[in-house]
């Protein structure tokens, strides 16, 4: 079936010498994997390698056979090219890290328009702003909403956050955050991208990042710690 849709590049893997296997999160069909033959050949001007950088937003026309095999692009173009993400080392590091997170978090081949809209909006926000110190933290927490394990805030006044159940509790269980960690987490829950991006110190951001990685690990089967995590920490140190 020929499909025209927006797609966000989640990952790309070099195959043999000139080809790529590209995983995309599409607006129309959720997660899809595509085979790009001769991606590194200049003859394929409509399938430039630059299109397949992490979290690039594309408009694609593709043949979807929906048989669990690799699909094929027919046409690719950039929707609105990023102005700063590829050239800014901090932003490009954030994007590399978040693409790894999404690679290990999104598994279903099913439509999820609300998640797609959130990712698209968040990436454009990142591209157009300079105060971005907490962007990755807010992004991870908000993404959990669309993946089905956003914290239950109905008892947010309680002193401990219990990680496995995703609830605030009066009891300090084995899988609970400390009171200090819980207070940091509550502060993060109140933040949005347009809030003060200087709300946390470096050490507090590192604590929150570890909390969020652990939280994802609790709630997603097969979730792996991103290889780019150490690079991200270095950028924000």
């Amino acid at each position: 079936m020929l499909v025209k849709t927006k797609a966000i590049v989640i990952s790309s893997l070099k195959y043999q010498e000139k080809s790529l296997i590209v995983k995309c999160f599409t607006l129309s069909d959720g997660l899809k994997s595509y085979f790009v033959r001769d991606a590194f050949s200049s003859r394929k001007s409509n399938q430039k390698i630059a299109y397949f950088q992490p979290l690039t937003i594309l408009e694609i026309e593709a043949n979807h056979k929906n048989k669990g095999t690799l699909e094929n692009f027919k046409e690719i173009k950039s929707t609105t090219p990023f102005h700063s993400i590829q050239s800014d080392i901090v932003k490009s590091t954030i994007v590399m890290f978040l693409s790894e997170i999404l690679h290990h978090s999104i598994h279903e081949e099913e439509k999820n328009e609300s998640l797609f809209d959130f990712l698209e909006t968040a990436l454009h926000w990142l591209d157009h702003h300079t105060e971005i110190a907490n962007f990755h933290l807010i992004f991870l927490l908000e993404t959990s909403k669309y993946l089905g394990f956003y914290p239950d805030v109905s008892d947010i006044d309680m002193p401990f956050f219990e990680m496995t159940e995703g609830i605030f509790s009066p009891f300090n269980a084995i899988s609970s955050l400390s009171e200090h960690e819980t207070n940091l987490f509550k502060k993060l829950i109140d933040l949005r991208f347009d809030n003060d991006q200087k709300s946390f110190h470096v050490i507090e951001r590192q604590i929150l990042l570890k909390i969020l990685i652990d939280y994802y690990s609790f709630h997603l089967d097969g979730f792996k710690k991103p290889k780019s995590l150490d690079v991200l920490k270095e950028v924000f140190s």
Side-chain angles (χ1 to χ4, degrees):
M1 180 173 66
L2 192 61
V3 175
K4 290 183 179 181
T5 184
K6 285 184 179 181
I8 298 172
V9 177
I10 302 298
S11 64
S12 59
L13 178 67
K14 191 172 182 180
Y15 179 76
Q16 294 181 344
E17 287 300 312
K18 296 183 179 180
S19 301
L20 278 177
I21 295 173
V22 181
K23 184 180 287 187
C24 292
F25 184 62
T26 69
L27 179 60
S28 63
D29 296 277
L31 199 65
K32 284 285 184 184
S33 293
Y34 301 89
F35 181 68
V36 184
R37 191 182 303 277
D38 296 331
F40 296 90
S41 169
S42 59
R43 292 181 292 108
K44 287 280 186 179
S45 58
N46 69 325
Q47 296 186 357
K48 295 176 182 177
I49 194 67
Y51 287 151
F52 307 118
Q53 298 305 306
L55 302 190
T56 301
I57 304 171
L58 304 172
E59 286 184 5
I60 66 169
E61 189 172 325
N63 292 308
H64 285 180
K65 297 177 182 178
N66 299 316
K67 293 181 179 179
T69 55
L70 295 174
E71 313 288 13
N72 293 283
F73 294 118
K74 185 177 179 184
E75 188 174 337
I76 307 168
K77 63 180 179 179
S78 178
T79 54
T80 307
F82 292 134
H83 298 287
S84 64
I85 286 178
Q86 264 87 42
S87 58
D88 185 305
I89 184 63
V90 175
K91 291 183 180 183
S92 60
T93 302
I94 290 172
V95 161
M96 179 174 63
F97 168 75
L98 294 177
S99 68
E100 268 199 89
I101 292 283
L102 294 173
H103 177 75
H104 294 301
S105 303
I106 303 173
H107 303 294
E108 287 76 22
E109 286 192 22
E110 59 183 37
K111 191 177 197 177
N112 190 336
E113 286 189 20
S114 58
L115 175 56
F116 188 96
D117 290 343
F118 166 73
L119 296 177
E120 183 179 34
T121 300
L123 289 167
H124 282 305
W125 189 95
L126 176 65
D127 191 43
H128 287 92
H129 291 79
T130 55
E131 296 293 332
I132 56 171
N134 300 321
F135 176 85
H136 57 300
L137 304 175
I138 300 169
F139 182 100
L140 290 178
L141 185 59
E142 288 296 307
T143 299
S144 74
K145 187 181 297 179
Y146 304 97
L147 297 175
F149 55 95
Y150 187 79
D152 181 347
V153 297
S154 55
D155 292 315
I156 198 168
D157 292 334
M158 296 297 175
F160 302 102
F161 181 69
E162 203 285 310
M163 298 276 273
T164 57
E165 296 297 324
I167 61 173
F168 290 89
S169 168
F171 308 109
N172 188 5
I174 293 175
S175 55
S176 293
L177 302 180
S178 68
E179 283 194 71
H180 173 62
E181 291 170 334
T182 299
N183 286 331
L184 286 177
F185 197 55
K186 289 177 182 179
K187 191 175 177 182
L188 177 61
I189 286 173
D190 286 336
L191 283 188
R192 298 295 178 267
F193 292 134
D194 286 322
N195 291 138
D196 183 7
Q197 288 281 330
K198 297 177 181 178
S199 300
F200 301 109
H201 299 300
V202 172
I203 297 300
E204 291 176 332
R205 281 198 295 269
Q206 291 178 354
I207 291 169
L208 282 166
L209 184 56
K210 182 182 184 305
I211 288 169
L212 288 163
I213 296 294
D214 289 345
Y215 190 52
Y216 270 62
S217 299
F218 273 120
H219 292 273
L220 293 172
D221 290 338
F223 181 80
K224 296 179 181 178
K225 176 182 171 182
K227 294 179 181 177
S228 56
L229 181 59
D230 291 336
V231 181
L232 185 75
K233 288 179 180 177
E234 186 69 26
V235 164
F236 281 110
S237 63

